Amino acid sequence: MSLQQAYDLDLSATLPKILGILAVTYGTWKYIEAKRSPLNAIPTIGYSGILTSYITAIKWARSSGDLLQEGYDKYPGQPFKVATISRWIVILGGPNHVDEVRKAPADVLSFRQAVAERIQNKYTLGRKFDDDPYHVATVRTPLTRNLVSRFGDIRDEIVESFKDYIPLTKDWQSVSAYDTLMHIVCRTSNRYFVGLPLCRDPGYRSLNETFTIDVAVSARIINCFPNFLKPLVGQYLTTVPKSVKRALEYLGPTLEERLAQEKLHGPEWAERPNDLISWLLETTTQDYHRTIRDLVLRILTVNFAAIHTSTMTLTHSVYDLAVHPEYVKEMREEAEKILEEDGWTKPAMQRMRKIDSFLKESQRLNSIGNMLMTRKTLKDWSLSDGTLIPAGTFVGIANDAMNKDEDAFPEATTFKGFRFADMRDGEGELDGIKHQMVSLSLDHVVFGHGRHACPGRFFAVNEIKAMFAHILLNYDIQLENDSMKRPENFCVEANIIPNTKAKVLFRKRRG
């Protein structure tokens, strides 16, 4: 036997032993780490064992709402924890906890770190993207500020989109609600973001509709692997770079022209279009962000945040409208009166209290998630009751359970379309404002709270209200077979998604 053969034989015999020792060592270390963790003092919903907790993690993937509701009911006003595939999550609930999360310093509770790990944006969107999320400031200020001046474009695209996707017909026509409303939301949003003719390009629309799914799927795959493998998995298993390449083909020429004009005439040149591209350039002061690729990523990301969340909210409201026709007459009368006085304008949307209330009630019972306001602890964090949550832990608010709390909302599981309109008519000094759909509240969390509350909620709410009013004034709707049973939602981890297969019947409004 040669020396090389002896070496190979020895290696083949010892390698499994080495790997076995490493596996046992790693398992022992994780066991000791788990036993010493302060998280052990926090009650658990589901299984808590190192191995049995994965049974709960599997349940979390499809029944997170049941787990969170169980914890909320069993431990009122107290934290509890739930196992997921990749980590433990500490769940908080109630106005006091919302306020504590809202007030916690960013160097203790990090919104950005939680988002970065959840969607793995280091691998899905790129490292530079995470360094400076300036597009958030763009959405918060210029995008929101221009709603009044650009509302006509939003209204025009709503009209044209509905003509294309749900033409007015005397007879009932069956429509796949989620997909159809997503096409309308995507077109309308991009009329505001990038304008004509690009917003109506089927390829560009499809790209933006699928980009969110590409990122979400890639992130879920990456999160299944340990940290040391994530760079490798992120490089080879994500489809996001292909989406960015396609977006460059659509947006590249426009961006090149816009950058050239700005360089030639300065940032405030006379014929500068009033759109998302200009607003992004207006917000950032860094030259390395003024590149075509970076701007494309920001536009895709704004779409990422806008399209599916608005589509889900609008779809939920359409399902609720179909099973609660008793509210139609009053909402139509409200819309007709206000539009006769103010026209299709942003101020008109603000005056539609009953429509606003109906949408908010639909959103209360059908939020976009069972858990919101997710944060990652960067340092050990103690709650006001003394509970210690160690650094590196994810925490979140059980908002869906809160939204169905009888103390905050009497008859909480009953749909009461004008619940918030009645509350706005209360005697409190701020009642007329604080119960609006866009308002933030400690006991009703749908847009988050504090400095990280959804910056695009003003755009989203006004767009949804305009679409919903358009449906009310132009269509009769019902579910298939005259059903009065609302299509059931389904969960993917903590996300609540409206039934994507349900059909809704539309026809031209009668009478």
Side-chain angles (χ1 to χ4, degrees), residues 273-291:
N274 191 27
D275 61 12
L276 178 59
I277 299 171
S278 295
W279 303 332
L280 287 167
L281 291 171
E282 172 187 324
T283 307
T284 183
T285 57
Q286 303 297 328
D287 288 340
Y288 61 85
H289 287 313
R290 293 171 175 267
T291 65

Side-chain angles (χ1 to χ4, degrees), residues 225-264:
F225 288 83
N227 289 335
F228 72 92
L229 286 177
K230 285 177 180 177
L232 184 66
V233 176
Q235 182 176 356
Y236 291 106
L237 293 186
T238 177
T239 60
V240 174
K242 293 180 181 178
S243 298
V244 174
K245 185 177 179 181
R246 285 177 59 205
L248 284 166
E249 295 173 3
Y250 288 108
L251 291 163
T254 301
L255 293 170
E256 286 179 1
E257 173 66 18
R258 196 69 61 86
L259 289 168
Q261 290 292 340
E262 185 180 87
K263 186 175 181 179
L264 184 64

Side-chain angles (χ1 to χ4, degrees), residues 4 21 45 64 69 96 101 109 117 143 150 187 194 218 224 242 273 279 292 309 324 336 353 428 453 474 478 497:
Q4 182 63 46
I21 292 170
I45 294 300
S64 60
Q69 189 67 56
N96 291 338
V101 172
L109 284 192
E117 289 194 29
L143 186 146
R150 291 284 312 281
R187 264 183 54 168
V194 297
S218 297
C224 289
K242 293 180 181 178
W279 303 332
I292 293 172
T309 52
H324 293 289
E336 287 168 343
R353 287 193 172 198
N474 290 279
Q478 66 180 38
I497 300 173

